Amino acid sequence: MSVTLEDARRIIAAAEKRADEIGQPMNIAVVDAGGNLVSHVRQDGAWIGSIEISISKAWTSRAFDISTKDLGDNSQPTQQFFGIHTTNAHGRGVAIFAGGVPLSRDGRVVGAVGVSGGSGEQDQTVAEAGAAAF
């Protein structure tokens, strides 16, 4: 069980709609159960520097089955995952800021969405809108 291209298109469409509503162009990535990229969209005007960040957020969220916002909260000094962002798994950095949300089906994480291009709060709200469409 994993995220299909059809799922990814629906997730991205919902995320794009939310990004348009808040007036912030975004990069939106969807990965499957294995953390592999299924689809990515860079909205007109979204930062090119955020392309890889959106993919990294999606990968991180799937790799650890946790939102990157929550992982970030747990990776601050004195917290259990402090320093995790310095690791480099599969050539992709671990993202510890808001915008990555796991996608679950029947209680099992089967993919993730990652969003980058705005503030952490904007990225998170757009990612959550995408995840809600799953």
Side-chain angles (χ1 to χ4, degrees):
M1 189 180 321
S2 192
V3 175
T4 66
L5 180 57
E6 181 180 337
D7 293 330
R9 287 179 174 155
R10 188 174 59 255
I11 292 161
I12 287 173
E16 283 187 289
K17 181 179 181 209
R18 182 68 181 128
D20 291 345
E21 289 170 356
I22 65 172
Q24 182 62 52
M26 297 285 189
N27 283 279
I28 305 157
V30 177
V31 299
D32 65 15
N36 303 296
L37 185 64
V38 176
S39 189
H40 176 271
V41 166
R42 177 177 164 260
Q43 291 187 292
D44 292 342
W47 296 327
I48 59 171
S50 288
I51 295 169
E52 284 298 321
I53 295 170
S54 66
I55 297 168
S56 183
K57 286 180 182 184
W59 180 88
T60 299
S61 187
R62 173 54 190 110
F64 297 101
D65 295 344
I66 187 173
S67 76
T68 55
K69 180 183 180 313
D70 290 343
L71 184 61
D73 291 344
N74 283 291
S75 64
Q76 299 306 306
T78 75
Q79 297 300 311
Q80 63 181 336
F81 298 127
F82 179 68
I84 196 169
H85 65 285
T86 64
T87 65
N88 186 354
H90 300 290
R92 189 169 308 290
V94 174
I96 59 166
F97 35 90
V101 176
L103 301 170
S104 296
R105 183 176 281 144
D106 299 327
R108 183 171 163 213
V109 177
V110 296
V113 58
V115 175
S116 185
S119 68
E121 184 177 310
Q122 290 171 322
D123 292 355
Q124 188 69 23
T125 192
V126 171
E128 288 172 355
F134 182 60

